[in-house]
Amino acid sequence: MSSKQQVIHPMVKLQRNVHSLVESKIIKPTDSIWKIALLFGNDWQYLKQELLDYGFSMQDPVSELLSVEEWDEE
């Protein structure tokens, strides 16, 4: 059951982007997740809903988002 094409989970993409932002010192790991909303523009509504579905709150620190090791599709 292996697929040739690896589809990157949107949350993995978000996590990588956020990791880059932290590395670049644009945001801090202690900043609230809502702070990244401005950086994602039109995609934010979708990403925000995904985060909420995964049990995140917009007040959670970015470090919580970065600590997720696997995004399971239920």
Side-chain angles (χ1 to χ4, degrees):
M1 200 169 97
S2 72
S3 66
K4 294 260 184 279
Q5 207 179 4
Q6 272 278 317
V7 178
I8 296 180
H9 193 291
M11 300 316 287
V12 172
K13 222 183 220 173
L14 173 64
Q15 200 177 27
R16 287 178 185 166
N17 286 338
V18 170
H19 186 73
S20 295
L21 293 169
V22 170
E23 292 282 297
S24 309
K25 308 258 189 281
I26 293 170
I27 56 173
K28 297 190 285 284
T30 52
D31 285 343
S32 298
I33 288 175
W34 64 263
K35 278 198 166 180
I36 62 177
L38 302 170
L39 304 167
F40 287 93
N42 297 339
D43 296 333
W44 182 246
Q45 276 314 107
Y46 168 76
L47 293 169
K48 178 182 176 184
Q49 192 52 56
E50 285 285 297
L51 287 166
L52 294 172
D53 290 348
Y54 276 103
F56 285 97
S57 129
M58 295 302 104
Q59 282 70 45
D60 286 342
V62 168
S63 58
E64 298 230 340
L65 170 65
L66 296 176
S67 69
V68 175
E69 290 181 20
E70 209 167 285
W71 299 94
D72 286 329
E73 288 293 339
E74 303 266 314

